[in-house]
Amino acid sequence: MTSTVSDAVADVVAQHSEAVFSLMGNGNAHFVSSLTSRGHRVVNVRHETATVIAAQSYHLATGKIPAASTTYGAGYTNMLTSLAEARLARIPMVVVVGDAPTTGPRAQDIDQAGAAAALHVRTLMAGIADAGQVTCTAYEVAARDRVPVIVAIPYDLVDRPVSGGDTESDKPTSQDVLRLWEWHDAPLVAKDDAAAVAAALAQAERPLILAGRGTVLAGAGSVLREIGDRVGALFATSLMAHQVFESSWDVGIAGGFSSPRAAELIGQADVVLVVGASLNLYQMRYNTLFEGAHSVIQVDTLASATHEQVTRYVRADAREFSDAVLRTLPADSKKAWRATVERPFTGDSVGHADYGPDGRLDPRAVMDRFEELLPAQRTVTQDTGHFMGWAARHLTAPDPQGMLLPGLALQSIGLGVGSVLGVAVGRQDRLPVLVTGDGGLAMELSELDTVVRETESALIIVLNDAAYGMEVHQYGVRGLDTAAMIFEEMDFARVAAALGAKGAKIRSIEELDAVRDWIALGARGLFVADVAISAQVVADWLGMSNTYYTSLADSTAMTAS
C-alpha cells in the first residue's frame, strides 16, 4: 500500500508518542485515520483547547513527549491559548495540524505559521519528499529545547504519496534546519563559582536551598539534599518540584502558596541557593520572600538572572553544578539553624472552622478533609483562579509529577478538565484529581464528556463560590461594580450526571463522605464533587497581590505627577 504524506507523519508520531490528543477535522482527518486504523492511542476531545493542554499535563505527569492534533483554520485558532501556555511553560510536544494548500490560501485560511511565530512557536511544513524527516526533526527540537513544535500538513498533500524514500527510519534533517532555533548550551561548571557557592553555604547561619522544576528535570534533588544535610540547610520547592528533596527538612512550597510558617522560615534565611526556579512574582511572594537574605544565588541555564534580588548568578546545568558544589564543600559546616527549628512542618491546616462568615464551607477545611479522603497515590492538577493556593497548600502528592498547575504560565483559567484528561491517560496507576473553580469549569463543560469516554477514573473538585472570585477580591475591593463578576450558582453535579458521570452537591463536610464512598467502591468513572464554598474567605496570597499592585500604581502615579 502506498504511503501518503499523512501516513509518513503518523509513522513518526506513533513511534515517538504513546498518546495523541486530537480533535479531527478536514485538515487532519487523514493523519488521525492513519493512527486509529493501526490501533494507536488517540484521545478524541470535544474542543481544540483541550488537545494541547491535555498533552502538556500528560508530559508533566509522565515525562514522555506527547502529540496533539487539530485541523486548520478555526480548529487551529481554538488551540492557540493552550499552545501559548505550553510554550511559556516550556513543554516539549509535537502538534500536527492541517494547513492551507501549497497552491495558496483559501478564503478561510489564515497565516498559521505567523500566528505560531507570535507565540514563539516554530512551524515545520511537511512535504511529499520529507514528511517523515520533518516530523523527526520536530521531535528532536522539542526534546532538546523543551518547546512545542508544529508540523503542518498542507491540505492538498494530505493523501499524496510520498517520494524520495521518506520513511520513519530516516535520519532527522541536517543541522541547517536545526539552526532555525536559537540554542545555547549551558557553559561548563566554573570551579571558582562552585567553590564560592560552597563557601557561602558553609559559612551561612541560616542556609536555604530552593529547588524548582529545573532541579527535577536535571535529576539534582538527591545531590542538593546531600548538600543541605551537610550545611544544615532547610529546603523549599516551587509547586512543580513538590517533594523533590524527600526530606523532613523541606518546609514546603515557596512563594505565594507558602504556609504562614514556611513563609516565616524562608524569610529568616541569610543565604539562599535557588536551583532551576524562575523566581517569578508568585514564587517571590510579591518580592517579600527573601526578606532576611543578604545572598541569593541562582543557578539556571538561562542567559541571566531572573530577579533583581539575585546577588550571584551561575549559568550551568543543575546536576553538574550541584555535583561540583558537593565535591568542593567542606566536611564540617555550621548546622545551628536545624537545631532551633521544630518539626514536622505542619503548614496551614490547623484551626479552620467548617464554615465561612456567610455560612458556606471554608475551602481550607474542605481541602483538609480531602487530604484525609484521597488515596496517597494521587496526581493533583488545578485550574487557575482565586482558589488555586488551597490545593497546593493543603494537599500532598507523592512526587513532583503528582502536583501540577497548568495555566499559570499564561495566567489562564478554563484549562483544568483538559489537564486532568492528560493526567488520567498518562498515569492510570494514580487517582487523577482536578481542583477547579466554577468559572473555569463552566468554560469547558463539553470536555466532561471526554473524561467520561476516555478515562477509567477521575475526580473533579469544584470550589464553587458562584463568582469569578479572583476579580471580586481584586477589583470589587477597589470599588468596581461586581455585577459582571457574580453569577447564579450552577449545579455541576447534575450537569455531570447528564453526561454519564457521578457526582454530589456538597454543602457540609459530612457530605464529602459521598467521595469517600466512591473511592471505597473502586473510584470507577468520573466523580464531580461540587462544593459550595464561602465567597468571604479570601486567600492570603491575593491580599499580597493587591498590596503589591496598589503600591505599584501609587508609585506610578507619583512619578507621573
Side-chain angles (χ1 to χ4, degrees):
M1 183 175 179
T2 303
S3 179
T4 66
V5 169
S6 295
D7 291 332
V9 174
D11 288 342
V12 179
V13 169
Q15 181 182 0
H16 288 81
S17 295
E18 294 179 8
V20 180
F21 299 90
S22 171
L23 201 160
M24 185 275 297
N26 289 350
N28 66 337
H30 290 77
F31 165 74
V32 173
S33 175
S34 184
L35 290 171
T36 57
S37 64
R38 70 184 77 187
H40 195 77
R41 179 71 159 112
V42 176
V43 180
N44 299 294
V45 306
R46 290 295 192 180
H47 192 279
E48 286 87 358
T49 299
T51 59
V52 172
I53 198 64
Q56 173 169 329
S57 291
Y58 175 92
H59 168 75
L60 292 173
T62 67
K64 301 173 183 177
I65 297 182
S69 182
T70 75
T71 187
Y72 49 67
Y76 183 93
T77 57
N78 276 346
M79 66 93 178
L80 288 179
T81 294
S82 50
L83 182 67
E85 161 67 21
R87 177 61 183 87
L88 290 172
R90 295 190 65 187
I91 305 297
M93 70 175 70
V94 170
V95 184
V96 179
V97 302
D99 209 336
T102 59
T103 52
R106 302 155 298 182
Q108 71 268 34
D109 289 318
I110 65 167
D111 179 4
Q112 294 183 180
L119 305 180
H120 306 287
V121 175
R122 292 283 186 173
T123 301
L124 289 179
M125 196 69 65
I128 59 174
D130 63 359
Q133 292 181 353
V134 160
T135 311
C136 284
T137 299
Y139 274 98
E140 181 177 345
V141 174
R144 185 196 66 183
D145 293 3
R146 304 202 63 79
V147 291
V149 179
I150 291 174
V151 173
I153 306 176
Y155 186 58
D156 57 333
L157 302 187
V158 292
D159 56 355
R160 287 279 299 277
V162 295
S163 63
D166 186 47
T167 70
E168 62 183 290
S169 61
D170 281 340
K171 296 175 65 175
T173 51
S174 70
Q175 290 298 314
D176 291 336
V177 173
L178 295 179
R179 288 193 192 103
L180 290 171
W181 285 265
E182 294 184 3
W183 174 257
H184 305 286
D185 289 324
L188 295 176
V189 175
K191 291 183 179 179
D192 291 346
D193 282 329
V197 171
L201 291 171
Q203 296 165 13
E205 297 289 339
R206 296 176 302 280
L208 176 81
I209 300 177
L210 169 58
R213 182 164 168 250
T215 296
V216 178
L217 295 174
S222 60
V223 182
L224 288 172
R225 183 180 66 241
E226 190 172 349
I227 291 171
D229 289 343
R230 191 174 295 186
V231 302
L234 298 185
F235 303 115
T237 71
S238 70
L239 181 77
M240 300 297 288
H242 178 73
Q243 299 285 16
V244 71
F245 290 115
E246 298 182 336
S247 170
S248 61
W249 294 106
D250 183 353
V251 303
I253 295 170
F257 302 151
S258 295
S259 69
R261 186 171 181 225
E264 179 185 6
L265 288 169
I266 293 169
Q268 294 173 7
D270 58 353
V271 175
V272 182
L273 174 62
V274 181
V275 183
S278 65
L279 298 183
N280 60 43
L281 206 55
Y282 282 107
Q283 282 184 358
M284 289 299 287
R285 204 171 171 85
Y286 296 91
N287 295 337
T288 66
L289 186 65
F290 301 140
E291 290 181 312
H294 60 73
S295 180
V296 177
I297 305 156
Q298 185 181 22
V299 179
D300 212 304
T301 58
L302 299 175
S304 60
T306 59
H307 197 276
E308 60 186 11
Q309 197 172 343
V310 173
T311 57
R312 186 185 191 102
Y313 183 73
V314 180
R315 187 162 183 258
D317 174 80
R319 177 59 186 263
E320 291 179 5
F321 189 77
S322 300
D323 285 337
V325 170
L326 184 60
R327 289 193 300 268
T328 312
L329 199 63
D332 295 319
S333 305
K334 298 176 182 178
K335 298 183 180 180
W337 198 16
R338 286 189 177 183
T340 65
V341 177
E342 293 184 7
R343 292 180 294 172
F345 303 108
T346 55
D348 175 37
S349 59
V350 177
H352 300 303
D354 288 354
Y355 299 95
D358 55 1
R360 292 166 67 93
L361 284 166
D362 187 316
R364 297 167 296 186
V366 170
M367 288 293 102
D368 286 341
R369 181 58 178 147
F370 271 113
E371 173 65 10
E372 298 171 355
L373 290 176
L374 298 177
Q377 292 302 310
R378 63 183 86 156
T379 301
V380 179
T381 187
Q382 302 167 77
D383 203 349
T384 61
H386 172 233
F387 61 87
M388 63 187 177
W390 288 314
R393 187 177 289 180
H394 294 262
L395 299 182
T396 58
D399 52 38
Q401 290 74 39
M403 183 68 74
L404 315 181
L405 185 49
L408 188 59
L410 189 62
Q411 298 190 23
S412 172
I413 71 171
L415 302 178
V417 181
S419 174
V420 81
L421 173 65
V423 168
V425 171
R427 291 302 302 263
Q428 298 181 20
D429 57 325
R430 296 178 176 178
L431 177 64
V433 180
L434 167 65
V435 180
T436 187
D438 52 297
L441 184 56
M443 291 183 179
E444 48 181 346
L445 288 178
S446 61
E447 233 52 74
L448 291 177
D449 166 71
T450 308
V451 177
V452 170
R453 282 186 292 105
E454 297 280 0
T455 70
E456 297 179 1
S457 177
L459 170 64
I460 295 179
I461 302 167
V462 192
L463 297 181
N464 188 347
D465 62 357
Y468 289 130
M470 180 85 83
E471 285 68 28
V472 170
H473 298 306
Q474 279 188 308
Y475 300 108
V477 297
R478 302 181 195 180
L480 273 66
D481 184 63
T482 60
M485 308 174 193
I486 299 174
F487 301 88
E488 292 294 325
E489 185 169 347
M490 184 183 296
D491 189 335
F492 291 99
R494 292 179 65 185
V495 173
L499 294 172
K502 298 180 176 64
K505 186 72 179 182
I506 308 296
R507 299 190 182 276
S508 69
I509 294 296
E510 291 73 23
E511 289 177 337
L512 289 173
D513 287 348
V515 179
R516 179 201 62 191
D517 295 342
W518 173 74
I519 293 171
L521 291 172
R524 309 308 302 167
L526 170 64
F527 192 100
V528 176
D530 182 3
V531 186
I533 64 164
S534 173
Q536 296 180 15
V537 177
V538 183
D540 56 359
W541 68 267
L542 191 55
M544 288 183 286
S545 169
N546 288 341
T547 300
Y548 172 82
Y549 285 112
T550 299
S551 174
L552 199 64
D554 291 344
S555 175
T556 302
M558 288 181 63
T559 302
S561 63

